[in-house]
Amino acid sequence: MTKIITIITLFICSLLSAQNVKLTVSVSGIKNNAGTVKVGLYNSEGTFLKTTYKSVGSEIKNNKVVVVFDNLPAGDYAISTYHDENNNGKLDKNMMGIPSEDYAASNNAKGFMGPPSYKDAKFDLVKDSKIEITL
């Protein structure tokens, strides 16, 4: 009986770990190597562009950045990214609230008179994947 329970437990653990995937995000179109690129990963519409599920900042090399998110549960996600050219840790905006630093979202989602929506930026992550975003 102990052997059966052990086998079932190992089988369940292997299923759970098999559902974790890796997401590689390549960001190109960066106009210079100054500052950093921030990449935010979101896992729900309610937190999109408010609170990241995971985030990574990376130095720019040859006007490109590649970041990796490991051990993600399979599901729906969206990405927003921006070039923090002055390294102040935030997306700078002008007096009218329009971003003055380059930014983009997954699926090349664009907003009309505002930021893109989660619905337009979301993608289904079920296996190890690579996403390319151009600022």
Side-chain angles (χ1 to χ4, degrees), residues 36 38 82 84 86-92 101:
T36 58
K38 307 285 186 176
Y82 69 95
D84 186 9
N86 59 4
N87 258 341
N88 67 351
K90 63 181 183 176
L91 176 62
D92 293 329
E101 294 178 310

Side-chain angles (χ1 to χ4, degrees), residues 69-102:
F69 294 98
D70 281 317
N71 296 318
L72 297 172
D76 288 340
Y77 293 93
I79 293 173
S80 73
T81 183
Y82 69 95
H83 181 189
D84 186 9
E85 202 167 355
N86 59 4
N87 258 341
N88 67 351
K90 63 181 183 176
L91 176 62
D92 293 329
K93 299 176 183 176
N94 65 19
M95 292 179 67
M96 296 182 63
I98 299 170
S100 57
E101 294 178 310
D102 292 336

